[in-house]
Amino acid sequence: MSLTVRAPAKINLHLSVGSPRPDGFHPLVTVYHAVSLYDDVTASDASAWSATTTGADDVQVDGVPEGEDNIVVRAGRLLAQRHGLSRRAAVQTYKSIPVAGGMAGGSADAAAVLVALDRLWDVRTPDDQLLALASRLGSDVPFALLGGTALGTGRGEIVEPWEDNGSWWWVVVPSTQGLSTPEVYRHWDTLFPDAPAQPAPAHRLVGALKTGEPLRLAAALHNDLQVAAVDLRPELGVLIERGEAAGALRGMVSGSGPTCVFLCAGRDEASEVASVLSEEHAVVLAAHGPVAGAHVLPDGIETTE
Ligand code: C5P
């Protein structure tokens, strides 16, 4: 039997960072938002673990590790261990989420594997335990299970759904060259050696998300890491200005970057902004949010005798 699970990319509507904790991670207050760019992960019973990755034309999968080093195998092993199973699986990932773009594509794949194998093995892991396993795999894996719009605290792994009455349109511009998350955090540390221990709260977003009004959301978007990402990659600042000049209500770096996202007034405005930015950027995508977290595709279940 094989099962296909779809998991979404995330952007951060708010990301504030505190000074590093003793374990090296930074305390965060973030508001995650799942958008309509997805990876599809197919898991099948097999005698050995394996991971293969293919992708949409504009997604560079070369950097994604094959086999044991891939996060999907770590996710599968963790679930097997949790249930005392010696089962293994072959995992095939079809990526539409930009790789190393700050959109949590690897985290989406890990969440998808947890959901797929939980179902394939019929082990029915309770939600809180699945979230706990997810947090061991990465700070934003729990959110990929949840989807929608959610507050993230701790190092980002403690998630709580948030009311979001909007249907927001985004233009997403991945960079051809990835930017390492630890490098961006390290650079932020050097820029802000006296940062407060506690990250700033996301009060302004609460009201904006309730109204569903794009202008209100545009004014409330915030990313502490943007200054570090733009300092490392000044061309991201130029891109943000171009997108805003082309009609986006607000442009910003997504998470630790280098992908930039642009909030638009609606679907037509997003098409317009996307068409202007695609004159200079090879990959420009339009997406809406919020969308669901990792879920089994109804026509993605195959049984073979
Ligand atoms: O948890 P995840 O694997 O996504 O984190 C990748 C890296 O990003 C960490 O090793 C750390 O360097 C940095 N990070 C951090 N603080 C966080 C989340 C990530 O410093 N809250």
Side-chain angles (χ1 to χ4, degrees):
M1 184 176 168
S2 81
L3 261 168
T4 301
V5 170
R6 172 164 286 187
K10 64 89 185 163
I11 61 179
N12 301 76
L13 306 181
H14 174 100
L15 179 58
S16 53
V17 181
S19 59
R21 313 187 306 196
D23 65 2
F25 281 90
H26 294 71
L28 303 181
V29 170
T30 189
V31 179
Y32 292 114
H33 181 66
V35 295
S36 59
L37 298 173
Y38 305 99
D39 283 357
D40 287 342
V41 174
T42 302
S44 327
D45 280 312
S47 54
W49 288 105
S50 66
T52 49
T53 308
T54 54
D57 286 348
D58 45 23
V59 177
Q60 294 178 327
V61 296
D62 317 356
V64 179
E66 298 279 311
E68 292 279 338
D69 293 335
N70 192 308
I71 191 169
V72 296
V73 174
R74 286 198 282 129
R77 282 187 182 281
L78 200 60
L79 188 73
Q81 194 185 33
R82 159 72 185 72
H83 292 284
L85 298 173
S86 57
R87 292 178 74 160
R88 298 175 180 96
V91 181
Q92 287 172 287
T93 303
Y94 180 81
K95 296 190 76 70
S96 300
I97 304 175
V99 174
M103 300 193 81
S107 300
D109 302 345
V113 164
L114 291 177
V115 170
L117 294 181
D118 184 71
R119 178 81 175 265
L120 194 67
W121 296 340
D122 195 25
V123 285
R124 299 167 199 241
T125 319
D127 285 353
D128 59 334
Q129 290 180 26
L130 212 55
L131 285 166
L133 291 178
S135 72
R136 290 173 57 187
L137 292 161
S139 304
D140 41 26
V141 183
F143 174 69
L145 288 173
L146 207 61
T149 301
L151 178 69
T153 53
R155 59 179 165 86
E157 87 286 16
I158 304 168
V159 287
E160 175 192 324
W162 255 21
E163 183 181 353
D164 181 352
N165 294 319
S167 179
W168 315 102
W169 279 90
W170 302 92
V171 170
V172 177
V173 185
S175 162
T176 44
Q177 215 189 337
L179 188 57
S180 134
T181 301
E183 187 187 352
V184 175
Y185 275 102
R186 270 199 305 273
H187 192 55
W188 188 85
D189 290 340
T190 60
L191 291 176
F192 303 101
D194 301 319
Q198 293 306 319
H203 295 320
R204 290 184 76 194
L205 263 181
V206 181
L209 290 168
K210 280 188 184 153
T211 63
E213 287 172 26
L215 276 173
R216 290 278 300 271
L217 183 62
L221 297 173
H222 177 80
N223 183 1
D224 271 358
L225 290 181
Q226 176 161 319
V227 62
V230 171
D231 209 42
L232 291 168
R233 289 279 183 79
E235 67 270 24
L236 300 181
V238 176
L239 167 59
I240 289 170
E241 278 173 23
R242 293 229 167 97
E244 290 181 346
L249 301 177
R250 182 88 187 271
M252 67 173 179
V253 171
S254 174
S256 59
T259 295
C260 288
V261 294
F262 297 87
L263 177 64
C264 298
R267 181 200 290 254
D268 293 346
E269 290 82 354
S271 301
E272 176 64 29
V273 170
S275 111
V276 172
L277 291 179
S278 55
E279 287 165 17
E280 289 189 14
H281 293 269
V283 183
V284 180
L285 309 158
H288 61 88
V291 298
H295 58 280
V296 178
L297 287 181
D299 54 1
I301 305 175
E302 275 179 31
T303 317
T304 44
E305 290 305 315

